[in-house]
């Protein structure tokens, strides 16, 4: 038998339901991404420091082709619910599967560029489409 009275259980459920109804869609998605990163055993992007070797996971928000010093570079913004990280593949114009909305796991050394976290040429793993 539970030590918590039934009325408190109902109040707790009602409170959680109200919280979910009053929370924005963006906040709900961020919470889901934070939980996903935790269950995957990855470092939260918001906790990453300069020169740290990390494994992070999240959703690609944007993907752009932006040359760096005359060399093609595919850039993507990865978001995990805590912060954003720029993922850059130098010498690449496109990579199959790298597109906005796709979830992935990336590993490498963090660097800071203009106040933003960046992973250059990371090892990466695309998350299955069925989980999205």
């Amino acid at each position: 038998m539970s030590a918590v009275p039934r009325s408190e259980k109902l109040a707790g459920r009602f409170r959680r339901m109200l919280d979910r109804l009053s929370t924005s869609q963006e906040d709900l998605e961020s919470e889901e991404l934070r939980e996903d990163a935790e269950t995957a055993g990855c470092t939260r992007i918001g906790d990453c420091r300069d020169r740290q070797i990390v494994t992070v996971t999240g959703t690609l928000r944007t993907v752009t082709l932006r040359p760096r010093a005359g060399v093609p570079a595919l850039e993507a913004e990865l978001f995990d619910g805590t912060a954003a990280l720029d993922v850059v593949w130098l010498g690449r114009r496109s990579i199959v599967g790298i597109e906005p909305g796709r979830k992935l796991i990336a590993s490498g050394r963090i660097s800071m560029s203009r106040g933003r976290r960046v992973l250059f040429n990371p090892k990466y793993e695309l998350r299955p489409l069925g989980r999205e």
Side-chain angles (χ1 to χ4, degrees):
M1 185 151 231
S2 176
V4 179
R6 180 177 165 83
S7 62
E8 286 183 29
K9 283 184 183 179
L10 290 176
R13 284 189 197 144
F14 184 67
R15 182 69 175 128
R16 283 192 303 272
M17 184 181 71
L18 280 179
D19 287 345
R20 287 194 67 78
L21 290 173
S22 64
T23 304
S24 71
Q25 184 66 26
E26 185 176 324
D27 290 340
L28 292 173
E29 289 171 2
S30 292
E31 178 62 30
E32 183 180 314
L33 288 170
R34 284 191 294 271
E35 289 172 4
D36 190 37
E38 188 175 308
T39 58
C42 295
T43 305
R44 293 185 304 176
I45 294 173
D47 295 339
C48 295
R49 298 180 320 275
D50 191 27
R51 310 276 310 142
Q52 180 182 10
I53 296 175
V54 297
T55 299
V56 294
T57 187
T59 301
L60 296 175
R61 284 182 164 173
T62 61
V63 178
T64 57
L65 177 62
R66 184 171 298 141
R68 288 179 172 250
V71 176
L74 185 65
E75 292 187 11
E77 182 184 64
L78 184 69
F79 181 70
D80 75 344
T82 63
L85 167 86
D86 293 331
V87 183
V88 180
W89 289 274
L90 298 170
R92 302 295 301 263
R93 295 185 192 283
S94 67
I95 299 174
V96 175
I98 301 296
E99 56 196 29
R102 188 69 189 253
K103 292 183 180 182
L104 66 87
I105 297 174
S107 301
R109 186 178 302 272
I110 294 283
S111 65
M112 296 297 283
S113 177
R114 299 184 185 120
R116 289 185 56 94
R117 295 172 183 91
V118 182
L119 266 179
F120 286 100
N121 295 324
K123 294 179 186 174
Y124 68 94
E125 176 184 329
L126 296 172
R127 303 290 296 271
L129 288 171
R131 290 192 53 188
E132 299 179 353

